[in-house]
Amino acid sequence: MRRHVPITLAALLALLAAGLLAYQWAWLPSTLRVAVGPPGGEDTRMIGAIAQSLTRNHEDVRLRVVPTSGTAESAAVAEREKADLAVVRSDVGIPASTQTVAILHRDAAVLMTADPALTTVPDLNGRRVGVVRPQVGNAKLLDTLLEQYELPPGSVAVVPLGHGDDAGRALKEGQADAVFVVAPLTGPTMREAVASIARAGLQLGFIPVGEAAAIVRRSPVLEAVEIGRGTFGGTPPRPAEAFTTIGVSHRLVAQAKLPDSTVSELTRLIFVTRPGLVGEVPLANQIEAPETAKGASLPLHPGAEAYYDGEIETFFERYGDWFYLLVMCLSILGSAAATLVSRAANRSRARDMELLRQLLAIVRATRDVEDEDELFDLEHKADEILAAALARAGTGAIDNAGVAAFTLGLDQARRAIAERRALIQSGHVHPAGPSESWAAE
């Protein structure tokens, strides 16, 4: 019985080790790859700040930045599933395999000019428009805007401008008649463009997009943006009157196959860390929840939706079924182990009883022995039984009570053999005749 104790302990330790490994695996932080670019851009700075905060606070979800050249490449990387997350622009091909987690910021498409003759978009016909940061998305957005007003292709010349600071110089030197900026209203690019025009001593004007709502109906990935009076400061305020234009949103999207629980936790952490990021990245203050309506044109990840709707599952709700299965498995394994130990104990007792029966058989057989050779054989058998009993006692298979029983049996066998030997040697035992042998039989 005792030799099964180490086996049982080993099984229990193995189960404990498996449980600890499962616990460690369950609580390892999930590291998600996020494609974002360009390097040094506002989106990259924001995601980098979030990633550092998650690592610094030892959160369960971590981010690893996959640098790209911009939103178009980020979308392509996500489309190839080389990243778990990506920062994309709503009008630059959001991958079909991804769903929205959060809106990082909204960009407004603003047409600025210093020419008082340019008051509407059709007035740009035959003019030059400087596009700040002429990414693929910005040029395409300008084409969408011009198409709404049926300006033929090539009727507006596009002049690429590297930064917002180039806007004032381009207007003053006549390189461009208007400047097209796509950026957050309170972001550095928009501020630089407005400030550079003011520094150039030009009278800044804005060209509204009166048909913004119609454009959005045709292209739901765009949105109508109202720019209020005095949004860009100044005296007199810039702009002097509110106007409407079109805009886009920069979104953090996740692969649809990512676990809902992971995306829910990531979404929660983004909004928890947002206040602490504003000092480092002011644009982080614009992080917001997307539209949660079922008919939204850009689908929302179920994990993010659960967070926004306040339906995040608790730990036990999420893993309750697994705990139930684990308890059942442990119960079954415990029952099986108990059954095996019980069977092993029964087999051990059966072997002990067989040895005791052999000792009793020796005692009974001694009564009919008529010569010393047979006594020697019985004595040898008793010695073998003694050796087997001692071997089992050494392994712990026989407890103290069993050892006492074997000791008593062996004493009885040896006493019976000694008494029978004394009778044979004294001559009081005679060989049995045929009739005695038949009677004995």
Side-chain angles (χ1 to χ4, degrees):
M1 178 66 181
R2 290 181 179 175
R3 71 175 183 177
H4 299 291
V5 173
I7 298 176
T8 305
L9 289 176
L12 292 175
L13 289 174
L15 287 174
L16 179 61
L20 290 175
L21 288 175
Y23 174 83
Q24 184 180 10
W25 175 82
W27 287 98
L28 280 177
S30 300
T31 301
L32 304 178
R33 300 163 299 170
V34 51
V36 60
E42 289 295 310
D43 291 336
T44 303
R45 291 181 57 205
M46 185 188 303
I47 295 299
I50 294 174
Q52 291 177 3
S53 177
L54 298 182
T55 301
R56 184 169 55 250
N57 295 328
H58 306 287
E59 301 292 355
D60 294 336
V61 180
R62 313 283 177 85
L63 297 180
R64 180 165 62 85
V65 174
V66 178
T68 65
S69 61
T71 54
E73 185 182 354
S74 296
V77 170
E79 185 71 40
R80 297 194 302 270
E81 298 188 359
K82 299 297 184 181
D84 305 299
L85 305 164
V87 176
V88 299
R89 210 170 90 168
S90 59
D91 63 330
V92 185
I94 294 181
S97 62
T98 63
Q99 297 170 324
T100 301
V101 174
I103 294 178
L104 298 183
H105 57 88
R106 299 181 187 273
D107 292 359
V110 180
L111 278 167
M112 305 179 189
T113 183
D115 187 348
L118 300 178
T119 58
T120 64
V121 175
D123 294 338
L124 295 174
N125 190 14
R127 300 296 190 101
R128 294 165 296 177
V129 176
V131 179
V132 175
R133 294 166 56 192
Q135 304 172 6
V136 175
N138 291 349
K140 183 179 178 181
L141 187 59
L142 179 60
D143 290 340
T144 301
L145 183 60
L146 298 177
E147 182 182 351
Q148 170 66 26
Y149 294 93
E150 297 182 347
L151 294 178
S155 61
V156 176
V158 175
V159 179
L161 302 177
H163 303 282
D165 286 335
D166 298 332
R169 177 182 53 79
L171 293 177
K172 186 172 184 177
E173 296 178 359
Q175 297 177 5
D177 301 299
V179 174
F180 186 64
V181 184
V182 182
L185 290 175
T186 58
T189 300
M190 193 70 72
R191 290 198 308 269
E192 289 169 0
V194 172
S196 68
I197 296 174
R199 286 195 303 270
L202 303 175
Q203 185 65 36
L204 176 61
F206 299 92
I207 302 176
V209 181
E211 288 71 27
I215 297 174
V216 171
R217 281 194 294 272
R218 286 209 321 268
S219 181
V221 296
L222 303 178
E223 54 192 57
V225 179
E226 182 175 352
I227 300 178
R229 182 174 185 268
T231 296
F232 304 115
T235 304
R238 298 187 292 258
E241 299 293 337
F243 68 93
T244 304
T245 186
I246 57 175
V248 295
S249 58
H250 283 236
R251 296 170 177 249
L252 178 65
V253 297
Q255 297 289 350
K257 65 182 181 180
L258 279 180
D260 292 353
S261 58
T262 301
V263 177
S264 294
E265 180 63 10
L266 172 63
T267 308
R268 184 188 71 83
L269 291 172
I270 288 174
F271 284 90
V272 167
T273 59
R274 179 181 62 176
L277 302 177
V278 174
E280 180 181 355
V281 186
L283 197 61
N285 198 40
Q286 298 191 23
I287 298 176
E288 61 179 280
E291 182 183 356
T292 57
K294 298 298 182 182
S297 58
L298 300 176
L300 187 62
H301 195 287
E305 185 175 8
Y307 170 75
Y308 296 129
D309 293 341
E311 298 177 356
I312 296 180
E313 294 180 337
T314 64
F315 178 83
F316 288 102
E317 288 174 340
R318 191 182 310 157
Y319 298 109
D321 292 340
W322 290 103
F323 278 119
Y324 178 72
L325 291 174
L326 178 61
V327 170
M328 285 187 60
C329 291
L330 290 177
S331 177
I332 292 171
L333 290 174
S335 299
T339 301
L340 292 175
V341 171
S342 177
R343 289 181 179 178
N346 291 335
R347 287 195 296 269
S348 178
R349 284 193 295 270
R351 286 194 291 269
D352 295 342
M353 292 304 297
E354 178 61 26
L355 292 176
L356 288 173
R357 281 195 293 271
Q358 291 177 15
L359 285 176
L360 294 176
I362 290 174
V363 173
R364 287 194 296 269
T366 302
R367 301 170 185 169
D368 301 326
V369 173
E370 297 177 353
D371 59 62
E372 291 192 46
D373 291 337
E374 293 182 16
L375 285 177
F376 280 119
D377 290 339
L378 293 176
E379 193 171 23
H380 180 66
K381 289 181 180 180
D383 292 338
E384 290 179 346
I385 293 173
L386 173 62
L390 291 175
R392 289 177 58 74
T395 61
I398 302 178
D399 56 13
N400 293 334
V403 172
F406 273 106
T407 301
L408 179 60
L410 287 168
D411 289 342
Q412 291 294 330
R414 286 171 176 169
R415 185 178 297 110
I417 291 172
E419 292 176 353
R420 192 64 178 177
R421 181 178 287 116
L423 288 174
I424 293 173
Q425 291 176 353
S426 66
H428 290 87
V429 177
H430 301 285
S435 60
E436 292 177 353
S437 298
W438 177 83
E441 293 176 0

